[in-house]
C-alpha cells in the first residue's frame, strides 16, 4: 500500500482540483487559512526606490551583525550574481544561487550558507520553496514578487518549526499590483501596517499614482515608515 502526502503553505484551487483528480481517496486538511503566514515571522515593509536598494540592504546587514543567516530574494539571475559580488566587495560574506548555476555550484553555495561561512545567500525564486535551512533568521525581499503566494513561500524560509524570524520587504511604485493582498496578509498575521501602505492601496484602487518622498538611502537618517510622505502624481512638490 502507498500513501501520498502533499504539503504547501499555498494551495491554489486549480492545484487542489488537480490533486483530487490524481489521488485516490483524496482528503484536504488545512491548518489556518491556506496562503496565510505565521505570526512567528515579524514582517517589515520599507519604502525603497530601486536606486537605493543596495545601500539600504547594506545598512540592514551591517546593523544586524552576525546573528543567524540572511536570505535575500531577487527577481533575476543577473541581479543575484551582481548583488552577491557587491556585498562581498563591501566585506559581507555572501554567495548566490539561481537556475544558471550548476548543481555542484548550488550545493556548494548552500553548504557554505548552512555552515555560516557565507551567512548571506542571494537567491532567485529557485530557493523560495522546499528549502529548509536551520537558523535563517532574516529574509529580505530585495525585489518583491508579482504574486502574493510567492511572497508567502519566500518569507516562510524563516520562522520555521516554532522559531521566530524577521522578514523585510523593499516596496516601491513597481509593486502596486500586490499591495492589497499584502495588506490583507499583514492584517491576518497581526503585523504592523504602515500608514503609507494603506494610502498606496487606496490610491491604487482609484487608479491614482503616487510618489514616495523621504525614501531611505545610504547615510540617511532611518525614520519610521509612517512618517514618509506620499502624494498623488501629476505635479505638486
Amino acid at each position: 500500500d502507498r500513501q501520498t502526502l502533499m504539503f504547501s503553505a499555498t494551495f491554489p484551487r486549480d492545484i487542489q482540483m488537480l490533486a483530487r483528480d490524481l489521488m485516490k481517496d483524496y482528503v484536504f486538511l488545512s491548518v489556518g487559512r491556506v496562503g496565510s503566514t505565521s505570526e512567528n515571522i515579524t514582517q517589515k515593509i520599507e519604502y525603497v526606490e530601486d536606486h537605493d536598494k543596495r545601500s539600504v540592504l547594506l545598512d540592514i546587514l551591517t546593523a544586524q551583525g552576525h546573528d543567524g543567516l540572511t536570505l535575500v530574494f531577487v527577481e533575476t539571475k543577473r541581479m543575484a550574481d551582481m548583488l552577491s559580488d557587491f556585498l562581498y566587495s563591501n566585506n559581507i560574506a555572501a554567495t548566490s544561487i539561481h537556475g544558471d548555476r550548476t548543481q555542484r555550484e548550488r550545493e556548494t553555495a548552500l553548504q557554505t550558507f548552512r555552515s555560516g561561512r557565507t551567512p548571506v545567500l542571494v537567491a532567485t525564486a529557485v530557493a523560495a520553496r522546499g528549502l529548509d535551512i536551520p537558523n535563517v533568521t532574516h529574509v529580505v525581499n530585495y525585489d518583491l514578487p508579482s504574486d502574493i503566494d510567492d511572497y508567502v513561500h519566500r518569507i516562510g524560509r524563516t520562522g520555521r518549526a516554532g522559531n521566530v524570524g524577521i522578514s523585510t520587504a523593499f516596496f516601491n511604485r513597481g509593486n502596486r499590483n500586490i499591495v492589497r493582498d499584502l495588506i490583507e496578509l499583514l492584517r491576518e498575521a497581526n503585523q504592523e501596517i504602515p500608514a503609507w501602505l494603506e494610502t498606496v492601496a487606496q490610491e491604487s484602487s482609484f487608479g491614482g499614482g503616487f510618489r514616495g518622498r523621504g525614501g531611505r538611502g545610504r547615510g540617511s537618517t532611518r525614520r519610521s515608515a509612517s512618517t514618509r510622505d506620499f502624494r498623488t502624481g501629476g505635479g505638486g512638490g
Side-chain angles (χ1 to χ4, degrees):
D1 293 335
R2 174 175 174 171
Q3 185 178 36
T4 301
L5 305 177
M6 302 172 66
F7 298 89
S8 181
T10 58
F11 208 19
R13 183 164 181 78
D14 55 342
I15 304 301
Q16 293 181 39
M17 300 294 286
L18 180 63
R20 188 184 67 180
D21 291 343
L22 295 177
M23 302 173 76
K24 182 180 179 181
D25 297 326
Y26 168 81
V27 176
F28 176 75
L29 176 64
S30 65
V31 179
R33 188 182 75 83
V34 176
S36 189
T37 59
S38 169
E39 293 185 27
N40 289 347
I41 304 171
T42 300
Q43 299 178 58
K44 302 178 181 180
I45 313 296
E46 295 273 2
Y47 187 90
V48 185
E49 295 287 5
D50 288 342
H51 59 266
D52 287 329
K53 285 183 176 182
R54 282 189 175 190
S55 60
V56 174
L57 177 63
L58 201 57
D59 285 342
I60 290 173
L61 295 177
T62 302
Q64 75 180 21
H66 303 286
D67 295 332
L69 308 176
T70 300
L71 185 54
V72 181
F73 281 103
V74 296
E75 279 296 283
T76 67
K77 304 167 188 175
R78 181 169 176 267
M79 179 55 73
D81 287 335
M82 289 176 59
L83 190 57
S84 63
D85 289 344
F86 167 77
L87 294 174
Y88 193 82
S89 68
N90 281 274
N91 300 315
I92 293 179
T95 187
S96 65
I97 182 172
H98 54 73
D100 279 352
R101 304 200 76 179
T102 66
Q103 184 64 28
R104 177 170 292 183
E105 287 173 331
R106 293 189 211 179
E107 290 173 356
T108 299
L110 288 174
Q111 195 279 325
T112 59
F113 182 56
R114 281 192 178 96
S115 67
R117 286 166 51 199
T118 53
V120 178
L121 177 65
V122 184
T124 57
V126 70
R129 303 172 188 235
L131 189 66
D132 187 12
I133 296 178
N135 205 29
V136 175
T137 57
H138 197 174
V139 171
V140 178
N141 273 288
Y142 185 91
D143 296 320
L144 271 168
S146 58
D147 185 271
I148 198 65
D149 284 352
D150 292 335
Y151 172 82
V152 172
H153 281 285
R154 286 182 180 189
I155 71 172
R157 299 312 98 198
T158 188
R160 300 176 69 81
N163 295 309
V164 296
I166 298 173
S167 163
T168 301
F170 293 171
F171 185 101
N172 59 41
R173 62 176 58 85
N175 308 119
R176 282 177 293 180
N177 61 312
I178 66 166
V179 65
R180 279 173 288 183
D181 289 334
L182 183 58
I183 288 176
E184 181 182 352
L185 206 63
L186 293 171
R187 186 172 289 118
E188 283 189 350
N190 296 316
Q191 302 294 306
E192 180 181 350
I193 302 174
W196 60 262
L197 194 64
E198 298 269 20
T199 301
V200 172
Q202 292 172 6
E203 293 174 348
S204 296
S205 297
F206 290 101
F210 74 96
R211 181 174 51 156
R213 295 175 63 99
R216 285 176 47 178
R218 184 125 176 96
S220 63
T221 301
R222 298 185 67 169
R223 300 182 294 172
S224 168
S226 61
T227 66
R228 299 196 182 102
D229 177 18
F230 292 84
R231 307 182 184 184
T232 56

